């Protein structure tokens, strides 16, 4: 159950049991507190109650209304103390039952699940009105859901897709390239645009070990194999793992992690990376969400007899990204901006491999039904390299990339979905060798168990 669903259920429960479940008289000295609560001005009621707490603490009626105000204005610990005083001291059996119900809810919000469950079951055993019994049953289900969320969990998924890629090596379609130093050069076939059909296999494992409701350690492991049916030299095998610490509350969430990745090209070592990352996510009001993340990574390229100078491409990368998302009943819109700087590990002939780049991406999803979700993604990226390209070109490389993707997700059931997507990429460059376009389409499935 989502955070939004939980909050809606909490609201329905308090409306169902806070004032209407039992008949109780309201002593006149606390009429202003009662009026503010009936008007749903909970923060004002809490401020008024807190200002008079030292004077009126111990008055059962005052404690009850102050507890309600505290509960609805995000001060559940104050609510616990207030309702415990009412339940322990009041001589009014009706008020005592009402206080026990709200105390059970306060225990839930402070994550004291055993105490909350015990109190709800005690009230349920007293045969309360039907609407109260139904609300209590709903709350007991929430407690079970939260307990499961706090248990250590393993999640696994597998995915596969099949498709066609018009340019598997992101290379130019030109066979002849003009250079300012030696005139035209002819590219061999491996250096030109190559199309192929492919299949992709992926597996993901996720581990979660909670410490409290709001803190946990997580780990993920992703394995991916991309096989081009005819051009083996561009086959990719990728492994990526991450361990992270996650904390926060329903509004703000934070994540700090360590990651490692390894890429093989045609079954030979190609690239590895280690990184540190942190992120912040905020759930705002009216369906708005914000995020900010940063990472530091060391990217290292494997050398071999065929590529003895690959280490000239080694870089240290700083990456910062920010996101804004708007959720409505039918649509999800998100905008992401990112900036990165990659500094070469080696100087001299390697300087041109250093670069700065920035980009933006828009994602839109339309929930056509519970099963069908079409989506669109549009992105741009601008790249500026640090120095002149050393081979045949007396120019500093600058690229501008545009990508459009259209897709569809069909969620057949909770665990199984199929998907299809098509994308087109165009890359313009100051150096003609690096100009290319790429059309790719694929269809596949994902199964989670």
């Amino acid at each position: 159950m989502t955070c939004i669903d939980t909050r809606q259920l909490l609201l329905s429960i308090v409306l169902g049991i806070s004032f209407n479940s039992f008949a109780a008289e309201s002593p006149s000295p606390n009429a202003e507190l009662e009026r503010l609560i009936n008007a749903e001005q909970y923060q004002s009621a809490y401020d008024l109650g807190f200002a008079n707490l030292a004077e009126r603490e111990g008055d059962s009626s005052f404690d009850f209304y102050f507890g309600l105000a505290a509960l609805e204005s995000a001060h559940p610990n104050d609510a616990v103390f207030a309702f415990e005083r009412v339940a322990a001291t009041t001589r009014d059996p009706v008020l005592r039952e009402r206080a026990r119900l709200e105390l059970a809810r306060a225990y839930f919000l402070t994550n004291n699940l055993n105490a909350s469950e015990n109190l709800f079951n005690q009230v349920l055993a007293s045969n309360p009105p039907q609407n109260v019994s139904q609300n209590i049953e709903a709350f007991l289900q929430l407690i079970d859901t939260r307990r499961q969320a706090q248990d250590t969990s393993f999640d696994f998924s597998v995915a596969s897709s099949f498709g066609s890629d018009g340019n598997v090596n992101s290379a130019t379609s030109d066979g002849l390239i003009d250079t300012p130093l030696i005139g035209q050069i002819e590219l061999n076939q491996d250096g030109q645009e190559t199309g192929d059909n492919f299949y992709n296999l992926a597996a993901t494992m996720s581990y979660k070990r909670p410490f409290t409701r709001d803190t946990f350690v997580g780990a993920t492991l992703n394995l991916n194999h991309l096989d081009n049916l005819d051009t083996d030299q561009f086959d990719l095998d990728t492994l990526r793992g991450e361990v992270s610490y996650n904390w926060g509350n329903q509004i703000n969430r934070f994540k700090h992690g360590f990651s490692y990745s390894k890429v093989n090209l045609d079954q030979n070592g190609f690239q590895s990376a280690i990184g540190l990352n942190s992120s912040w996510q905020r759930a705002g009001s009216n369906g708005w969400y914000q995020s900010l993340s940063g990472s530091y990574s060391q990217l290292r390229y494997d050398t071999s007899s065929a590529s003895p100078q690959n280490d000239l491409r080694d870089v240290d990368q700083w990456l910062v990204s920010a996101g804004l998302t708007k959720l409505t009943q039918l649509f999800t819109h998100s905008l992401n901006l990112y900036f990165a700087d990659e500094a070469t590990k080696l100087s001299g002939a390697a300087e041109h491999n250093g670069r700065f780049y920035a980009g933006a991406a828009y994602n839109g999803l339309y929930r056509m039904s519970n099963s069908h979700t079409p989506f669109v993604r549009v992105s741009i990226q601008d790249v500026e390299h640090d120095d002149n390209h050393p081979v045949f070109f007396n120019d500093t490389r600058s690229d501008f990339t545009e990508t459009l993707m259209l897709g569809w997700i069909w969620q057949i059931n909770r665990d199984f979905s199929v998907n299809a997507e098509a994308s087109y990429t165009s890359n313009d460059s100051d150096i003609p060798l690096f100009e290319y376009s790429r059309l790719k389409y694929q269809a596949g499935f994902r199964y989670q168990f």
Side-chain angles (χ1 to χ4, degrees):
M1 180 173 291
T2 65
C3 171
I4 293 175
D5 293 334
T6 302
R7 292 176 64 182
Q8 289 174 341
L9 183 53
L10 291 175
L11 181 60
S12 69
I13 290 172
V14 69
L15 291 176
I17 67 178
S18 294
F19 296 103
N20 300 322
S21 300
F22 300 92
E25 298 181 357
S26 302
S28 57
N30 303 302
E32 181 63 11
L33 271 178
E34 181 183 11
R35 185 191 69 80
L36 290 171
I37 291 172
N38 285 329
E40 298 184 5
Q41 299 179 24
Y42 301 116
Q43 186 60 50
S44 296
Y46 175 80
D47 294 339
L48 176 63
F50 190 80
N52 292 275
L53 186 60
E55 178 182 349
R56 294 194 176 182
E57 184 179 23
D59 178 332
S60 295
S61 180
F62 170 83
D63 283 338
F64 178 76
Y65 287 116
F66 176 66
L68 285 178
L71 204 57
E72 296 306 316
S73 59
H75 299 88
N77 288 315
D78 288 339
V80 167
F81 297 137
F83 290 131
E84 283 180 340
R85 290 194 298 269
V86 178
T89 62
T90 185
R91 297 181 179 181
D92 184 341
V94 176
L95 183 60
R96 181 182 296 110
E97 285 301 290
R98 294 179 65 184
R100 277 151 54 95
L101 279 169
E102 299 301 344
L103 178 58
R105 188 161 68 99
Y107 281 147
F108 176 83
L109 292 177
T110 55
N111 210 41
N112 190 343
L113 301 184
N114 289 334
S116 178
E117 182 181 47
N118 289 337
L119 267 181
F120 275 129
N121 282 326
Q122 289 176 29
V123 177
L124 198 61
S126 66
N127 296 317
Q130 183 178 2
N131 66 317
V132 178
S133 297
Q134 291 174 345
N135 286 330
I136 290 176
E137 293 289 354
F139 233 125
L140 292 173
Q141 291 180 8
L142 274 179
I143 290 173
D144 287 339
T145 300
R146 181 167 291 184
R147 278 204 177 107
Q148 292 175 8
Q150 292 180 198
D151 290 340
T152 298
S153 63
F154 285 94
D155 292 312
F156 301 90
S157 67
V158 293
S160 181
S161 60
F162 303 84
S164 179
D165 189 339
N167 192 353
V168 298
N169 52 340
S170 297
T172 180
S173 60
D174 296 333
L176 295 174
I177 299 296
D178 291 323
T179 71
L181 298 181
I182 63 173
Q184 286 191 334
I185 59 174
E186 183 177 357
L187 299 179
N188 61 36
Q189 189 60 45
D190 290 343
Q192 299 179 46
E193 175 182 289
T194 302
D196 201 351
N197 297 319
F198 68 89
Y199 71 87
N200 190 84
L201 298 174
T204 301
M205 182 202 75
S206 298
Y207 167 81
K208 180 179 178 181
R209 173 64 174 91
F211 299 114
T212 68
R213 182 188 65 180
D214 296 320
T215 61
F216 66 90
V217 167
T220 60
L221 181 66
N222 299 286
L223 300 171
N224 192 87
H225 173 69
L226 172 65
D227 193 299
N228 298 290
L229 300 186
D230 295 325
T231 50
D232 292 342
Q233 64 265 42
F234 302 113
D235 292 349
L236 289 174
D237 292 290
T238 305
L239 177 150
R240 187 181 189 279
E242 181 185 52
V243 177
S244 63
Y245 176 73
N246 302 259
W247 61 281
N249 52 41
Q250 293 182 347
I251 303 299
N252 294 286
R253 298 294 305 170
F254 300 89
K255 176 181 176 181
H256 313 290
F258 169 81
S259 64
Y260 172 79
S261 64
K262 175 67 177 176
V263 179
N264 286 345
L265 182 64
D266 191 19
Q267 301 183 4
N268 296 309
F270 177 66
Q271 182 201 79
S272 62
I274 58 173
L276 298 173
N277 56 78
S278 290
S279 64
W280 163 73
Q281 293 181 320
R282 181 179 184 275
S285 59
N286 299 320
W288 286 100
Y289 295 81
Q290 301 86 38
S291 64
L292 184 66
S293 63
S295 66
Y296 168 75
S297 302
Q298 294 182 342
L299 283 70
R300 302 294 182 256
Y301 290 82
D302 294 3
T303 59
S304 65
S305 57
S307 303
Q309 294 186 316
N310 255 3
D311 57 350
L312 295 178
R313 304 171 65 182
D314 292 352
V315 295
D316 296 333
Q317 179 196 81
W318 292 94
L319 174 65
V320 177
S321 63
L324 181 65
T325 299
K326 170 65 174 177
L327 271 66
T328 67
Q329 184 175 359
L330 296 178
F331 293 94
T332 297
H333 304 280
S334 62
L335 177 66
N336 294 89
L337 306 175
Y338 60 90
F339 305 88
D341 183 75
E342 294 182 351
T344 57
K345 181 185 176 184
L346 303 176
S347 57
E351 289 293 337
H352 70 287
N353 289 317
R355 59 179 187 162
F356 173 83
Y357 59 93
Y362 164 78
N363 293 272
L365 290 85
Y366 171 55
R367 283 175 288 280
M368 181 177 294
S369 67
N370 291 333
S371 300
H372 295 281
T373 306
F375 64 89
V376 60
R377 175 182 171 86
V378 181
S379 65
I380 57 174
Q381 178 176 274
D382 184 67
V383 182
E384 302 290 337
H385 286 252
D386 292 345
D387 201 359
N388 286 354
H389 197 279
V391 181
F392 309 136
F393 301 102
N394 189 25
D395 199 358
T396 301
R397 180 179 173 184
S398 176
D399 291 2
F400 187 79
T401 309
E402 301 167 285
T403 300
L404 171 64
M405 177 185 291
L406 300 174
W408 196 290
I409 300 173
W410 178 18
Q411 193 73 43
I412 297 176
N413 57 44
R414 176 183 174 184
D415 300 320
F416 185 72
S417 64
V418 297
N419 57 81
E421 62 185 49
S423 63
Y424 177 77
T425 300
S426 175
N427 187 72
D428 294 323
S429 179
D430 289 352
I431 298 178
L433 177 65
F434 301 107
E435 290 188 344
Y436 68 89
S437 62
R438 185 175 188 177
L439 177 63
K440 179 179 178 181
Y441 54 89
Q442 64 186 46
F445 71 88
R446 181 177 184 271
Y447 180 74
Q448 181 174 325
F449 53 94

